[in-house]
Amino acid sequence: MINEKIIVAGFGGQGVMLMGQLLAYAATNQDLNTLWFPSYGPETRGGTANCQVIISEEDIYSPVFSKCDTAIIMNGPSLDKFESRVAPGGKILINSSLVSREVTRTDIEVIKVPVNEIALELGNLKVANMVMLGAYLEVLKIFSIDDIIKVLKKTFGEGKSHLIDVNREALKIGSKSTK
Amino acid sequence: MINEKIIVAGFGGQGVMLMGQLLAYAATNQDLNTLWFPSYGPETRGGTANCQVIISEEDIYSPVFSKCDTAIIMNGPSLDKFESRVAPGGKILINSSLVSREVTRTDIEVIKVPVNEIALELGNLKVANMVMLGAYLEVLKIFSIDDIIKVLKKTFGEGKSHLIDVNREALKIGSKSTK
Amino acid sequence: MARGRVVVSVDRCKGCSLCVEACPQNVLAMDTKVNVKGYTPAVAINPDKCTGCTFCALVCPDVCIEVYREKGGTKNG
Amino acid sequence: MARGRVVVSVDRCKGCSLCVEACPQNVLAMDTKVNVKGYTPAVAINPDKCTGCTFCALVCPDVCIEVYREKGGTKNG
Amino acid sequence: MAKVLMKGNEAMALAAIKGGVDAFFGYPITPQNEIPEYLSRELPKLGKVFVQAESEVAAINMVYGAGGAGARVLTSSSSPGIALKQEGITYMAGSQIPGVIINVMRGGPGLGGIQPSQADYYQVTRGGGNGDYNCIVLAPENVQEAFDLVKESFDLADYYRNPVMIAADGLIGQMMAPVDIDKETPKLDLPEKDWATTGMKNRRTKENKDVDPNIIVSLSLVDTVLEEMNLVLQKKYTHMRENQQRYELINIEDAEIVIVAYGTSSRICRSAMEILKEEGIKVGMIRPITLWPFPEKAFAEIPESVKGLLTVEMSMGQMIDDVKISNNGKLPVGFYGRCGGVIPEPEEIVNAVKDFLGGLNG
Amino acid sequence: MAKVLMKGNEAMALAAIKGGVDAFFGYPITPQNEIPEYLSRELPKLGKVFVQAESEVAAINMVYGAGGAGARVLTSSSSPGIALKQEGITYMAGSQIPGVIINVMRGGPGLGGIQPSQADYYQVTRGGGNGDYNCIVLAPENVQEAFDLVKESFDLADYYRNPVMIAADGLIGQMMAPVDIDKETPKLDLPEKDWATTGMKNRRTKENKDVDPNIIVSLSLVDTVLEEMNLVLQKKYTHMRENQQRYELINIEDAEIVIVAYGTSSRICRSAMEILKEEGIKVGMIRPITLWPFPEKAFAEIPESVKGLLTVEMSMGQMIDDVKISNNGKLPVGFYGRCGGVIPEPEEIVNAVKDFLGGLNG
Amino acid sequence: MDNLVFERTKGLTKKEFSYCPGCTHGIIHRLVAEVLEELNVLDTAVGVASVGCSVINYEYFDCDMQQAAHGRAPAVATGIKRVNPENTVFTYQGDGDLAAIGTAEIIHAAHRNENISVMFVNNAIFGMTGGQMAPTTLPGQKTTTSQNGRDPYVVGMPIRMSEVLGQIPGAYYVERVSVHNPKHIIKAKKAIKKAFQNQIDGKGFSLVEFISTCPINWRMTPNDSLKWVEDSMIPYYPLGVVKDGDKND
Amino acid sequence: MDNLVFERTKGLTKKEFSYCPGCTHGIIHRLVAEVLEELNVLDTAVGVASVGCSVINYEYFDCDMQQAAHGRAPAVATGIKRVNPENTVFTYQGDGDLAAIGTAEIIHAAHRNENISVMFVNNAIFGMTGGQMAPTTLPGQKTTTSQNGRDPYVVGMPIRMSEVLGQIPGAYYVERVSVHNPKHIIKAKKAIKKAFQNQIDGKGFSLVEFISTCPINWRMTPNDSLKWVEDSMIPYYPLGVVKDGDKND
Ligand SMILES: Cc1ncc(C[n+]2csc(CCOP(=O)(O)OP(=O)(O)O)c2C)c(N)n1
Ligand SMILES: Cc1ncc(C[n+]2csc(CCOP(=O)(O)OP(=O)(O)O)c2C)c(N)n1
Ligand code: SF4
Ligand code: SF4
Ligand code: SF4
Ligand code: SF4
Ligand code: SF4
Ligand code: SF4
Ligand SMILES: [Mg+2]
Ligand SMILES: [Mg+2]
């Protein structure tokens, strides 16, 4: 049964909010229960940003949780903040391009993805979040890359449709990177 | 034992508030308990004005009362408004210069004083209220004319001290008028 | 002979005497009797002199003066 | 030989590049590495050209530039 | 119909449109800005009115004017902004002007913070304005219910000629969840707004040419007249108390403890209840949906098995007053709360229940 | 010392001076205008500050500034004006700024009227502002007590670094009565105002040259920090609840009925009690002097003989909430109230007591 | 037979004004009501009464009325006009109301160029509350809160709201008039008519400031009050058009 | 050996600003702090932070500070200055704060000629709340509540607060400056210094309006923002002295 609690965290400009929202949109499209909740307020500017997502086949009650199943960590400060919040046996995906230190916990699975490097290779640092999302899709195993692309198309609208291809590419490479 | 509830009512400009205040000041000077409460608000301008005074040897509780011992009525509309508020056996002093109709109640004592005419004779319509107050002093029998003059001197201050004489005269004539 | 005529609504009058001052013809004056409200109202003491110029009505804050004139003129000034 | 010298407080810098644009001598440029805050900070790529004019410091919104000059001048512009 | 993923604030904005809103007047404040932002874009397309006022004070008085002119009107704000609207709200209540006021609560007091809170319970239920008046206060628990209640609130406001407040919080406003945006909500039979100031010509008919002006006013300088006006209001409030108490009872049959919680708190308590159930502790919940009128009736349904009531709030204890009044001494009343924008986690509630139970038993 | 005949409003203004007020900021409103009028004349003579603000909103924020700068500050207003001050008051509470706020209550809601009322009980005790906060609320019964409480309130405000409200009404404000203006009122041991923003030089000493700025603030963007700030406030409120409940018990020994009433209502009830006594009906009274903290303790002193509590208010029933909470279901609670500026007469209360008693017995 | 050349306008109800003897609020009421009648908008007019001596003028104007919170009439009028633009919406505000507590609301109604007409009655005092100092009180003028006369050193010089509003791009028409004699009363009426005609023509925010009297609180006879208007008020508050969009086209 | 010719002023604490990259709030902070240091008033200064992006500047200025409710900083400053006239009191306010909700408070602080110094940061937007339209937003400017650009037909043309305040007799000194390049930054500092010196000299109400940027909500790079100040803001908001009591003496 699907019941996944996710934290996505990083710098303000890294697109962590969008990552969470894409998952929630995809869940909505599949008639799953879902809930997305951002850290909001001035801290987002410049500082760190994070959001929490719940995806579940059951009714979702508490929108907040002390422990998540998966944490997606896009920068160093976020690792410091959220490492302890992963449930034992949970997973932590780490942007190894920006996170220098090692995860200290041993009761969780660590997946490192050098997302910035990969994105730079793709010629667009902005898709770093998609690389990471691709990696997570592989971990979550609920949504396909196409599910996300479908959502992205809607989110981008006409204006940014030319960006779909590079995003698809990023998702793909990301999903392969965990293997 | 002194326990007197008074209503003073008339037109805005007739000095009814002052009449009540002078009684309250005089009571304070004699260490009596007292309380003065005005009708307040925009109605006072142009319209009618009234105040309620309590003078008592005992503690005064309720500042409002349904029935008064004495009503001092300076104009016609006030008679309409307050005639019914006099306790049976109480007194009503009426400015017969301005009140044309008769008091309909038979269970109260009516004292008529043509205060405007008297004041005009004294050469100052403004002391009409003092004429009436003089009449009331005679009815109340607690304060002397000098008690009131003492208060008036304080109230008037330096500026209006020349007015003391005509006020004293008015009080005197008023007090005689009830006989 | 008067070319105008004023009608003061006595019980509406508050005795402010603005009309008295405003009348160029000294038509109006304050009464000595009080009205129902306790004011001494304006009264036309020289009605013959009234030209119907409406000045009194224009300044009356309580809109208690009506003015009539022999020949029509602009209404309400 | 440079008449001036700038010291950028790298970890305070937010990478806005106002200083880069403001420098009349093209002394400054944006770094390619990110700092602790995730920004690419300003760096003196042509330190030799610096005149110590303080323009960069005047425009820096985060007050992260110190300027030194061979001879004294007015402090803080 | 498939659901749409929406932010709570946007869902409430859309609900207002579906509820027939004619005009929005507001002033920006976090965490409710998506409401005006959404409506600034959508209302003009529909030929409706969006005005960003110069302040909350101006906004609520625009609501007064537009509501008095017969329109369906919305304003939204957050805690300190609602404090500024208090005079306008008491004027609306006193003049019997319908209108909907959304409060997306944040931590206080004063400027406080921008994180979710329920510390405005007093502010919304006791009125911060002067005089004897009440607003219907609806407290949604999730985005869907926020949508439903906002949509319905316009009918309620018109029905009673009274302001209706929505007590949401930053979490409900900021989170996204799937919403059925075509859901039907209850409709009321509404009388004509023949009292509205739309100009006398609109009320002139062939039969009745001699119409009196409509006057919107809360003033009387005559105390007995003002008392009469108050008694008219009180009659409405009594009707509301009798007919508008709304609540949900959750697992109260054979519960040992009954939690009383609303809005975001009740959601979190639901998770706590699941954990407690697994541990074999029987906990039920009364979830007020109307904070005013407070659902006193719910307390009559508490079964014999219950040993105590635990009030849970994201504040230092405000609704607990109404819990105590409704309980009227029958059961011990406990309290657990967090404040300042801190959202309690289910585990905290679990512990609070256990502590409370321990205290009762020990 | 002989007493001086004074209007209630003037007595409160003089009391402020005797209480050491440094500054007054206010905006005119009936029925409290004699307070600013008196102080506009007297304060400048004493080298103290009088400013007529452009609005109640500005006035309360001037109080915030001056209070934060260490001064003893007063503002006064009446019901709708107090509604406008709510944001400022919650800021003061949140930032721990002392100050005294007089509310000379009048009929509501909205513009209402200018006659005496007690319909702001909620507004003053539940705070109309956002967040978890409390003000000490003192309710004088007569002019002398108004004088005494206002005088003392400045010490209380400083002691707790918290706003103190005086809940008077139009009758207390407008009536004249003899006042002992030299009466001593309780004094508190007050700490230095080392938190006040008077410039750093005032805190620099030879020993300590490196001082930090003083900051007056109610904001924290970090929820846990804001919660900490709230807990500091809560600690004060607990102290107030334990130490500041004030009330008078009148004839409650072997009473059948206990009236609960404050301010002008309690005075009128005293007259009613005299009448009832003559008729052989034993009635006592709990007279709250602090409306917040509400004198719960008084209810523990109610003797066995009492069959019911009758709350009497010049409103449609607001204090009754606190009576019910304090009573906690022990006795039936009845209510009698007038509103809109109508002052009940003693005879009405007499009848209300008899009706209530009849209902209890029948 | 003579003709009735001056009669009570249908724009006023029969109710007697509550104003003090000689208070020029009454003149201004009549002028506004006459304009409403003459422009034939009594049927579409919605007036907004403010808080001040004129607070109950909803009983005097024979059209739909709302009573607004102190100072907020322009916001209330904004609400009315925005939802029903076909209505002719006006506010009637005193100087305490408009120039003190309502400063932000009047400035922003002008700023948004709300298509409303504002009647601003400046009598240099808070009349209703018993004569406290207003932002418009003249230097040296004695009031209950400036008992030695307004001291500009302590509270500044009085504010000229029309001139301030003249600086707002959105204000279309601003004129100051007086009603202290028949000539000026006729002028004042023209200004009112223009303010309403502008609204009918969709031109936007129009405001007429009236220099008015308060014999009671000025402690003068009504006639002395008119003289004081001429001698003291008008020199500080010059009459005339401050801004007229028609002339800037 | 070279000399330190530009160093961080003691008027600022060590704390890093919370502003977005390139936001000129930071420049203005530095200038104010330098003036406080140079006039040697850090020890007597009491600043009033308002609500806006600069809300927590009480952490940045190294002097006593109060945080005021949105728009009310001038009232708070009035309270402080009136009870302690020997303090040097200033407010720091955004355009949403000063020109929207705080309109009445700034106008009446000027009206009363309060002896305070006001730093008014006009970035034509509500920055902190995420970029809504302000009364100062330029025609056509896109914001989150004017998504097709500000439409003057619906919401009027932007308000020029300095010019409005120039009409208040009590305002002693009002100047508009910009900080979009070093030259103007130096000018801006002079204006600040004058505003504080006026206070020290007891001359009364002084206000400096700064044209400032909001790269985030303008959706521009920091450098493009400076260009937009020059190309779009300054033409509508002309720089220079609006009023100077020294020159009217
Ligand atoms: C919020 C609020 N504050 C104060 C008052 C009290 N108040 C009533 S009228 C008034 C001033 C009226 O002065 P102005 O607007 O000049 O009108 P005038 O009476 O002079 O015509 C005030 C302060 C109120 N009713 N509401
Ligand atoms: C009473 C109240 N209303 C609204 C807000 C929300 N608010 C915070 S900052 C702000 C606007 C700030 O804009 P501005 O003053 O221009 O400052 P900037 O952020 O642009 O520097 C608003 C509306 C608030 N905190 N309090
Ligand atoms: S109409 Fe003219 S002349 Fe006649 S009374 Fe009036 S002012 Fe005098
Ligand atoms: S102007 Fe009018 S109210 Fe005044 S005295 Fe003349 S008629 Fe009477
Ligand atoms: S001091 Fe002048 S020359 Fe040197 S880096 Fe800065 S701007 Fe360039
Ligand atoms: S101006 Fe300052 S913050 Fe911006 S890039 Fe240069 S050094 Fe960094
Ligand atoms: S108090 Fe003044 S403004 Fe008010 S009605 Fe009387 S004279 Fe007119
Ligand atoms: S939001 Fe705008 S004004 Fe605020 S800090 Fe960022 S750039 Fe500066
Ligand atoms: Mg006035
Ligand atoms: Mg701004």
Side-chain angles (χ1 to χ4, degrees), chain C residues 12 14 37 58 67-69 72 76, chain G residues 3 5 14 16-17 19 30 34 223:
Chain C
R12 278 186 176 265
K14 291 182 186 151
K37 289 207 285 266
L58 282 170
V67 185
Y68 295 82
R69 208 186 293 152
N76 288 13
Chain G
N3 303 322
V5 290
K14 305 228 152 49
E16 288 181 20
F17 294 151
Y19 306 110
R30 177 177 62 76
E34 284 176 0
N223 278 309

PDB file of all heavy atoms in Angstrom, chain C residues 12 14 37 58 67-69 72 76, chain G residues 3 5 14 16-17 19 30 34 223:
ATOM      1  N   ARG C  12     -40.024  75.791  13.019  1.00  0.00           N
ATOM      2  CA  ARG C  12     -38.744  75.224  12.590  1.00  0.00           C
ATOM      3  C   ARG C  12     -37.585  76.167  12.914  1.00  0.00           C
ATOM      4  O   ARG C  12     -36.429  75.746  12.966  1.00  0.00           O
ATOM      5  CB  ARG C  12     -38.744  75.019  11.073  1.00  0.00           C
ATOM      6  CG  ARG C  12     -39.408  73.757  10.615  1.00  0.00           C
ATOM      7  CD  ARG C  12     -39.230  73.562   9.109  1.00  0.00           C
ATOM      8  NE  ARG C  12     -39.809  72.293   8.729  1.00  0.00           N
ATOM      9  CZ  ARG C  12     -39.119  71.167   8.612  1.00  0.00           C
ATOM     10  NH1 ARG C  12     -37.814  71.165   8.789  1.00  0.00           N
ATOM     11  NH2 ARG C  12     -39.725  70.045   8.307  1.00  0.00           N
ATOM     12  N   LYS C  14     -34.784  78.413  14.446  1.00  0.00           N
ATOM     13  CA  LYS C  14     -33.978  78.285  15.661  1.00  0.00           C
ATOM     14  C   LYS C  14     -33.458  79.620  16.157  1.00  0.00           C
ATOM     15  O   LYS C  14     -32.571  79.695  17.011  1.00  0.00           O
ATOM     16  CB  LYS C  14     -32.822  77.332  15.413  1.00  0.00           C
ATOM     17  CG  LYS C  14     -33.271  75.882  15.242  1.00  0.00           C
ATOM     18  CD  LYS C  14     -32.097  74.955  15.055  1.00  0.00           C
ATOM     19  CE  LYS C  14     -32.549  73.542  14.751  1.00  0.00           C
ATOM     20  NZ  LYS C  14     -31.566  72.831  13.921  1.00  0.00           N
ATOM     21  N   LYS C  37     -39.813  75.296  20.373  1.00  0.00           N
ATOM     22  CA  LYS C  37     -38.483  74.785  20.707  1.00  0.00           C
ATOM     23  C   LYS C  37     -37.770  75.667  21.726  1.00  0.00           C
ATOM     24  O   LYS C  37     -36.658  75.357  22.139  1.00  0.00           O
ATOM     25  CB  LYS C  37     -37.639  74.694  19.433  1.00  0.00           C
ATOM     26  CG  LYS C  37     -38.092  73.577  18.502  1.00  0.00           C
ATOM     27  CD  LYS C  37     -36.974  73.056  17.621  1.00  0.00           C
ATOM     28  CE  LYS C  37     -36.644  74.004  16.515  1.00  0.00           C
ATOM     29  NZ  LYS C  37     -37.354  73.711  15.259  1.00  0.00           N
ATOM     30  N   LEU C  58     -31.539  81.832   1.348  1.00  0.00           N
ATOM     31  CA  LEU C  58     -30.247  81.228   1.017  1.00  0.00           C
ATOM     32  C   LEU C  58     -29.401  80.990   2.255  1.00  0.00           C
ATOM     33  O   LEU C  58     -28.665  80.009   2.331  1.00  0.00           O
ATOM     34  CB  LEU C  58     -29.479  82.130   0.030  1.00  0.00           C
ATOM     35  CG  LEU C  58     -29.937  82.062  -1.424  1.00  0.00           C
ATOM     36  CD1 LEU C  58     -29.261  83.173  -2.233  1.00  0.00           C
ATOM     37  CD2 LEU C  58     -29.611  80.698  -2.037  1.00  0.00           C
ATOM     38  N   VAL C  67     -39.905  81.961  -0.113  1.00  0.00           N
ATOM     39  CA  VAL C  67     -39.953  83.301  -0.683  1.00  0.00           C
ATOM     40  C   VAL C  67     -40.875  83.307  -1.908  1.00  0.00           C
ATOM     41  O   VAL C  67     -40.811  82.388  -2.750  1.00  0.00           O
ATOM     42  CB  VAL C  67     -38.545  83.797  -1.083  1.00  0.00           C
ATOM     43  CG1 VAL C  67     -38.611  85.250  -1.572  1.00  0.00           C
ATOM     44  CG2 VAL C  67     -37.578  83.668   0.080  1.00  0.00           C
ATOM     45  N   TYR C  68     -41.713  84.316  -1.970  1.00  0.00           N
ATOM     46  CA  TYR C  68     -42.581  84.506  -3.128  1.00  0.00           C
ATOM     47  C   TYR C  68     -42.198  85.806  -3.795  1.00  0.00           C
ATOM     48  O   TYR C  68     -41.757  86.757  -3.139  1.00  0.00           O
ATOM     49  CB  TYR C  68     -44.053  84.579  -2.676  1.00  0.00           C
ATOM     50  CG  TYR C  68     -44.543  83.272  -2.077  1.00  0.00           C
ATOM     51  CD1 TYR C  68     -44.268  82.956  -0.753  1.00  0.00           C
ATOM     52  CD2 TYR C  68     -45.289  82.379  -2.861  1.00  0.00           C
ATOM     53  CE1 TYR C  68     -44.705  81.764  -0.209  1.00  0.00           C
ATOM     54  CE2 TYR C  68     -45.741  81.190  -2.329  1.00  0.00           C
ATOM     55  CZ  TYR C  68     -45.454  80.881  -0.994  1.00  0.00           C
ATOM     56  OH  TYR C  68     -45.894  79.704  -0.462  1.00  0.00           O
ATOM     57  N   ARG C  69     -42.366  85.847  -5.112  1.00  0.00           N
ATOM     58  CA  ARG C  69     -42.006  87.072  -5.823  1.00  0.00           C
ATOM     59  C   ARG C  69     -43.078  87.340  -6.873  1.00  0.00           C
ATOM     60  O   ARG C  69     -43.686  86.406  -7.404  1.00  0.00           O
ATOM     61  CB  ARG C  69     -40.631  86.910  -6.482  1.00  0.00           C
ATOM     62  CG  ARG C  69     -39.888  88.213  -6.647  1.00  0.00           C
ATOM     63  CD  ARG C  69     -38.609  88.013  -7.423  1.00  0.00           C
ATOM     64  NE  ARG C  69     -37.604  87.218  -6.723  1.00  0.00           N
ATOM     65  CZ  ARG C  69     -36.688  86.470  -7.348  1.00  0.00           C
ATOM     66  NH1 ARG C  69     -36.691  86.386  -8.665  1.00  0.00           N
ATOM     67  NH2 ARG C  69     -35.812  85.784  -6.648  1.00  0.00           N
ATOM     68  N   GLY C  72     -41.809  85.655 -11.820  1.00  0.00           N
ATOM     69  CA  GLY C  72     -40.930  84.490 -11.605  1.00  0.00           C
ATOM     70  C   GLY C  72     -39.463  84.862 -11.686  1.00  0.00           C
ATOM     71  O   GLY C  72     -39.082  85.830 -12.327  1.00  0.00           O
ATOM     72  N   ASN C  76     -34.529  78.990  -6.175  1.00  0.00           N
ATOM     73  CA  ASN C  76     -33.444  78.696  -5.212  1.00  0.00           C
ATOM     74  C   ASN C  76     -32.088  79.261  -5.627  1.00  0.00           C
ATOM     75  O   ASN C  76     -31.067  78.596  -5.562  1.00  0.00           O
ATOM     76  CB  ASN C  76     -33.330  77.193  -4.978  1.00  0.00           C
ATOM     77  CG  ASN C  76     -34.511  76.682  -4.154  1.00  0.00           C
ATOM     78  OD1 ASN C  76     -35.505  77.382  -3.973  1.00  0.00           O
ATOM     79  ND2 ASN C  76     -34.396  75.477  -3.630  1.00  0.00           N
TER      80      ASN C  76
ATOM     81  N   ASN G   3     -45.333  84.308  -7.248  1.00  0.00           N
ATOM     82  CA  ASN G   3     -44.812  82.949  -7.441  1.00  0.00           C
ATOM     83  C   ASN G   3     -43.922  82.532  -6.287  1.00  0.00           C
ATOM     84  O   ASN G   3     -43.206  83.355  -5.719  1.00  0.00           O
ATOM     85  CB  ASN G   3     -43.954  82.880  -8.696  1.00  0.00           C
ATOM     86  CG  ASN G   3     -44.721  83.314  -9.901  1.00  0.00           C
ATOM     87  OD1 ASN G   3     -45.913  83.015 -10.034  1.00  0.00           O
ATOM     88  ND2 ASN G   3     -44.041  84.058 -10.778  1.00  0.00           N
ATOM     89  N   VAL G   5     -40.694  81.431  -5.290  1.00  0.00           N
ATOM     90  CA  VAL G   5     -39.370  81.425  -5.921  1.00  0.00           C
ATOM     91  C   VAL G   5     -38.324  80.712  -5.069  1.00  0.00           C
ATOM     92  O   VAL G   5     -37.226  80.434  -5.528  1.00  0.00           O
ATOM     93  CB  VAL G   5     -38.878  82.841  -6.263  1.00  0.00           C
ATOM     94  CG1 VAL G   5     -39.702  83.425  -7.406  1.00  0.00           C
ATOM     95  CG2 VAL G   5     -38.895  83.732  -5.045  1.00  0.00           C
ATOM     96  N   LYS G  14     -38.707  65.831   5.357  1.00  0.00           N
ATOM     97  CA  LYS G  14     -39.384  66.886   6.135  1.00  0.00           C
ATOM     98  C   LYS G  14     -38.757  67.082   7.516  1.00  0.00           C
ATOM     99  O   LYS G  14     -39.022  68.040   8.223  1.00  0.00           O
ATOM    100  CB  LYS G  14     -40.864  66.520   6.321  1.00  0.00           C
ATOM    101  CG  LYS G  14     -41.583  66.263   5.012  1.00  0.00           C
ATOM    102  CD  LYS G  14     -42.907  66.985   4.891  1.00  0.00           C
ATOM    103  CE  LYS G  14     -43.240  67.282   3.439  1.00  0.00           C
ATOM    104  NZ  LYS G  14     -43.105  66.115   2.533  1.00  0.00           N
ATOM    105  N   GLU G  16     -36.714  67.948  10.742  1.00  0.00           N
ATOM    106  CA  GLU G  16     -35.931  69.120  11.143  1.00  0.00           C
ATOM    107  C   GLU G  16     -34.479  68.739  11.426  1.00  0.00           C
ATOM    108  O   GLU G  16     -34.211  67.702  12.003  1.00  0.00           O
ATOM    109  CB  GLU G  16     -36.534  69.747  12.418  1.00  0.00           C
ATOM    110  CG  GLU G  16     -37.838  70.457  12.157  1.00  0.00           C
ATOM    111  CD  GLU G  16     -38.414  71.089  13.430  1.00  0.00           C
ATOM    112  OE1 GLU G  16     -37.656  71.302  14.398  1.00  0.00           O
ATOM    113  OE2 GLU G  16     -39.630  71.352  13.434  1.00  0.00           O
ATOM    114  N   PHE G  17     -33.577  69.605  11.042  1.00  0.00           N
ATOM    115  CA  PHE G  17     -32.162  69.342  11.307  1.00  0.00           C
ATOM    116  C   PHE G  17     -31.879  69.376  12.802  1.00  0.00           C
ATOM    117  O   PHE G  17     -32.482  70.145  13.544  1.00  0.00           O
ATOM    118  CB  PHE G  17     -31.274  70.409  10.654  1.00  0.00           C
ATOM    119  CG  PHE G  17     -31.301  70.409   9.152  1.00  0.00           C
ATOM    120  CD1 PHE G  17     -31.078  71.583   8.449  1.00  0.00           C
ATOM    121  CD2 PHE G  17     -31.524  69.246   8.427  1.00  0.00           C
ATOM    122  CE1 PHE G  17     -31.083  71.602   7.062  1.00  0.00           C
ATOM    123  CE2 PHE G  17     -31.530  69.257   7.031  1.00  0.00           C
ATOM    124  CZ  PHE G  17     -31.307  70.436   6.342  1.00  0.00           C
ATOM    125  N   TYR G  19     -29.040  70.363  13.954  1.00  0.00           N
ATOM    126  CA  TYR G  19     -27.883  71.234  14.169  1.00  0.00           C
ATOM    127  C   TYR G  19     -28.209  72.400  15.091  1.00  0.00           C
ATOM    128  O   TYR G  19     -29.354  72.788  15.256  1.00  0.00           O
ATOM    129  CB  TYR G  19     -27.353  71.726  12.821  1.00  0.00           C
ATOM    130  CG  TYR G  19     -27.068  70.552  11.913  1.00  0.00           C
ATOM    131  CD1 TYR G  19     -27.852  70.305  10.801  1.00  0.00           C
ATOM    132  CD2 TYR G  19     -26.074  69.638  12.233  1.00  0.00           C
ATOM    133  CE1 TYR G  19     -27.632  69.181  10.009  1.00  0.00           C
ATOM    134  CE2 TYR G  19     -25.847  68.518  11.450  1.00  0.00           C
ATOM    135  CZ  TYR G  19     -26.633  68.291  10.343  1.00  0.00           C
ATOM    136  OH  TYR G  19     -26.421  67.179   9.588  1.00  0.00           O
ATOM    137  N   ARG G  30     -28.792  71.742   2.369  1.00  0.00           N
ATOM    138  CA  ARG G  30     -29.788  72.189   1.404  1.00  0.00           C
ATOM    139  C   ARG G  30     -29.194  72.248   0.004  1.00  0.00           C
ATOM    140  O   ARG G  30     -29.797  71.771  -0.964  1.00  0.00           O
ATOM    141  CB  ARG G  30     -30.301  73.575   1.806  1.00  0.00           C
ATOM    142  CG  ARG G  30     -31.297  74.155   0.814  1.00  0.00           C
ATOM    143  CD  ARG G  30     -31.841  75.493   1.255  1.00  0.00           C
ATOM    144  NE  ARG G  30     -30.847  76.550   1.382  1.00  0.00           N
ATOM    145  CZ  ARG G  30     -30.283  77.209   0.364  1.00  0.00           C
ATOM    146  NH1 ARG G  30     -30.608  76.905  -0.879  1.00  0.00           N
ATOM    147  NH2 ARG G  30     -29.395  78.145   0.584  1.00  0.00           N
ATOM    148  N   GLU G  34     -30.494  70.185  -3.156  1.00  0.00           N
ATOM    149  CA  GLU G  34     -30.998  70.864  -4.354  1.00  0.00           C
ATOM    150  C   GLU G  34     -30.301  70.354  -5.604  1.00  0.00           C
ATOM    151  O   GLU G  34     -30.936  70.131  -6.641  1.00  0.00           O
ATOM    152  CB  GLU G  34     -30.792  72.377  -4.222  1.00  0.00           C
ATOM    153  CG  GLU G  34     -31.803  73.040  -3.269  1.00  0.00           C
ATOM    154  CD  GLU G  34     -31.555  74.526  -3.045  1.00  0.00           C
ATOM    155  OE1 GLU G  34     -30.594  75.072  -3.630  1.00  0.00           O
ATOM    156  OE2 GLU G  34     -32.321  75.128  -2.272  1.00  0.00           O
ATOM    157  N   ASN G 223     -23.911  85.013  13.594  1.00  0.00           N
ATOM    158  CA  ASN G 223     -23.432  86.041  12.667  1.00  0.00           C
ATOM    159  C   ASN G 223     -21.957  86.342  12.856  1.00  0.00           C
ATOM    160  O   ASN G 223     -21.232  86.551  11.875  1.00  0.00           O
ATOM    161  CB  ASN G 223     -24.286  87.315  12.807  1.00  0.00           C
ATOM    162  CG  ASN G 223     -25.569  87.196  11.997  1.00  0.00           C
ATOM    163  OD1 ASN G 223     -25.536  86.857  10.812  1.00  0.00           O
ATOM    164  ND2 ASN G 223     -26.703  87.435  12.645  1.00  0.00           N
TER     165      ASN G 223
END
